Amino acid sequence: MRLLKRILLLLLILLLVFASYTVLSVGTFRSIEPTFDGRVLRSIPLKGAEDITISLTDSFALISATDRKGYPATEEAGGIYWMDLRNDRFDPVPLTQNFPLPFAPHGISLFPKDSSYQLMAINHTPTGHSMEVFELKDETLTHLQTLEHPSMIQPNDVVMLDETRFYFTNDHAYPKGLGRLIEDYGGLAVSDVIYFDGNDYRKVADGIAYANGINIDTSRDLLFVASPRFFLVKVYHIQEDGSLSFVEDIPCGSGVDNIELDLEGDLWIGAHPQLLQFSAYAKGNREIAPSEIIKIHYESEGIYTVESLYLEEGETLSASTVAAPFGNRLLVGSVTDDHFLVLERNE
């Protein structure tokens, strides 16, 4: 009996330690003081605008949107939207009305070609996951092919190196069950980055806690991966064969999500400063969740600055996932909110 009591006491202590670690490591007690030097230019009604990317050359944005509460559904009718940034109308134009359902786009990547663009979008369906490849010419999106592979365990975001090669993140190694629960709350670092070289898929980075947003700086052969569970952006050097060599972790103090780059190579990231509130909001158990926008100026290994430019409780926009820069403006999306924002920063 005494041995049983000791075992039960030990288990209780371990449970309390685990619970305390989880609560402390996900920003639960972080103070949210509203911060933004600028104004909300427009609120655009579009549900679940989780990822946004911008062509700075041709001044347009592409938005990946779907109703993410309870998805993927059999007839999920999400879409890719085009937005002209050369005027202040900010009207999202649907491009995928004729794409077969279900279509629940998640992370997207845009690659310029001679007179058009190639677009990749992660798609989640009840039967699995895929990469949908499109050609974008003017305001017309043409579907080219569907890519599927067993390595697409739980794909979150994708970035193209060219028309055939790309990287994508799996945010979980265990899509459901106890493994997923431990990944989410215990910080189990088992998610990964997969590289497709045009012929084969292979794992090029692992040991990541919830690998999320991904992007590249081609001028410096650097790849950046968001790890929101530990509030990190992980930096890798891209080798000639597509392999990755780890450079360093950048502590961000917030649950970093999608990553966009500006013309200077600075990183702009939508983030979740309190992950437990974000999780409760995403499951429909909270009405709002805090939003944050982070800018990272990365010079070289060990030389960088991390700046929080926007922070709020979620009254204006809940659970920000992306901040795409265009001059002094930012397009800010959300995981499940029924709108996204166009912000204008003071300069």
Side-chain angles (χ1 to χ4, degrees), residues 19-20 22-32 273-274 276-277:
S20 299
T22 299
V23 169
L24 292 172
S25 66
V26 295
T28 303
F29 300 111
R30 180 178 171 185
S31 176
I32 306 296
Q274 294 177 334
L276 286 182
Q277 288 197 24

Side-chain angles (χ1 to χ4, degrees), residues 4 47 67 127 143 161 197 222 228 245 302 316 334:
L4 177 60
K47 184 172 290 187
D67 185 355
T127 58
H143 185 248
L161 287 175
D197 63 9
L222 293 176
S245 59
T316 307
S334 164

Side-chain angles (χ1 to χ4, degrees), residues 76-288:
E76 184 68 43
I80 304 296
Y81 296 79
W82 182 89
M83 178 182 286
D84 192 350
L85 299 179
R86 294 169 296 185
N87 57 59
D88 287 347
R89 290 194 295 271
F90 304 117
D91 295 324
V93 177
L95 300 181
T96 51
Q97 311 96 305
N98 298 322
F99 190 80
L101 300 180
F103 186 45
H106 197 165
I108 56 176
S109 178
L110 189 66
F111 184 81
K113 301 197 290 187
D114 291 338
S115 60
S116 63
Y117 289 84
Q118 185 161 299
L119 173 73
M120 292 190 69
I122 291 172
N123 185 22
H124 303 294
T125 74
T127 58
H129 313 282
S130 63
M131 301 283 178
E132 305 299 339
V133 186
F134 301 87
E135 181 184 53
L136 175 67
K137 193 171 180 63
D138 299 323
E139 296 175 40
T140 301
L141 197 62
T142 303
H143 185 248
L144 300 179
Q145 62 177 323
T146 296
L147 300 175
E148 296 176 307
H149 192 264
S151 65
M152 299 177 190
I153 299 169
Q154 192 70 33
N156 185 297
D157 199 12
V158 59
V159 61
M160 287 185 285
L161 287 175
D162 54 33
E163 294 178 52
T164 58
R165 300 178 300 151
F166 59 88
Y167 296 94
F168 69 89
T169 56
N170 282 305
D171 58 38
H172 286 80
Y174 302 98
K176 53 188 173 181
L178 180 60
R180 184 181 179 111
L181 184 69
I182 296 175
E183 282 191 73
D184 287 342
Y185 293 99
L188 190 63
V190 291
S191 63
D192 55 31
V193 176
I194 305 296
Y195 172 61
F196 180 65
D197 63 9
N199 295 300
D200 299 312
Y201 294 83
R202 59 189 169 93
K203 185 185 299 186
V204 289
D206 56 12
I208 305 169
Y210 203 113
N212 196 309
I214 187 170
N215 216 323
I216 56 174
D217 183 339
T218 55
S219 66
R220 296 188 288 180
D221 292 327
L222 293 176
L223 182 138
F224 302 94
V225 177
S227 176
R229 180 57 182 81
F230 286 149
F231 294 173
L232 300 173
V233 167
K234 305 182 79 68
V235 186
Y236 300 87
H237 186 264
I238 302 173
Q239 308 296 324
E240 288 188 10
D241 66 349
S243 299
L244 300 178
S245 59
F246 177 72
V247 178
E248 66 180 321
D249 288 329
I250 302 176
C252 297
S254 193
V256 284
D257 206 306
N258 289 309
I259 302 171
E260 294 294 314
L261 273 70
D262 62 21
L263 289 172
E264 287 71 43
D266 291 337
L267 283 62
W268 294 79
I269 306 173
H272 314 288
Q274 294 177 334
L275 285 182
L276 286 182
Q277 288 197 24
F278 163 70
S279 178
Y281 166 78
K283 293 175 181 176
N285 298 326
R286 283 183 60 91
E287 291 188 3
I288 62 173

